[in-house]
Amino acid sequence: MLLENYRVLLQKALDYLWDRIEVERREIRRGKKVITKVKITLPEKKGVYKTLRDELEEVNVLASHYVDKAISDAYSVLKGWRRAEKGRASLRKPKLKRVYVRVKST
């Protein structure tokens, strides 16, 4: 139950941020080869945090700190995806393969 609800939150956060990612492609010629460079810009956390949090609170059935954690986890997933996709011309949306929840040990 906890994992499924958290997965829904995290997926909604990823979808929201995915719609706001800016992708800039440039073609660079090196002799006869044409290389496509890709610049991926994630939205600033300060700019989208409030609206994203409000949107996620509407579908949240867990404690509200899970919403904050889902937003930060979505950013970390997208930062890792950006590092992996850098320089590739075909950009696909990252998928959640495993459901996980990072638990505080306080």
Side-chain angles (χ1 to χ4, degrees):
M1 186 70 168
L2 169 71
L3 292 176
E4 184 59 32
N5 289 328
Y6 186 74
R7 187 192 64 77
V8 169
L9 283 177
L10 186 55
Q11 189 61 53
K12 286 203 180 281
L14 279 172
D15 293 341
Y16 184 89
L17 293 173
W18 179 258
D19 293 337
R20 283 149 186 83
I21 287 178
E22 295 177 14
V23 177
E24 181 183 325
R25 289 185 168 97
R26 288 184 296 149
E27 290 185 355
I28 299 172
R29 295 186 183 274
R30 294 208 175 143
K32 293 182 181 181
K33 272 187 158 180
V34 177
I35 300 171
T36 303
K37 290 279 189 171
V38 178
K39 182 180 179 184
I40 302 167
T41 308
L42 298 177
E44 286 190 28
K45 198 170 186 176
K46 292 178 186 177
V48 297
Y49 183 81
K50 179 85 172 109
T51 54
L52 177 56
R53 190 176 198 290
D54 292 341
E55 189 174 305
L56 291 179
E57 278 293 340
E58 293 174 6
V59 296
N60 185 27
V61 295
L62 304 171
S64 61
H65 69 272
Y66 285 106
V67 171
D68 300 329
K69 196 61 185 152
I71 293 171
S72 64
D73 285 349
Y75 266 99
S76 67
V77 165
L78 287 174
K79 285 178 184 175
W81 166 83
R82 180 177 61 180
R83 237 178 276 121
E85 291 290 317
K86 194 171 186 174
R88 296 186 187 167
S90 64
L91 300 174
R92 291 186 309 267
K93 184 172 158 182
K95 295 179 183 177
L96 294 175
K97 293 179 184 173
R98 287 187 205 100
V99 183
Y100 65 93
V101 177
R102 294 181 184 152
V103 181
K104 284 183 167 181
S105 61
T106 55

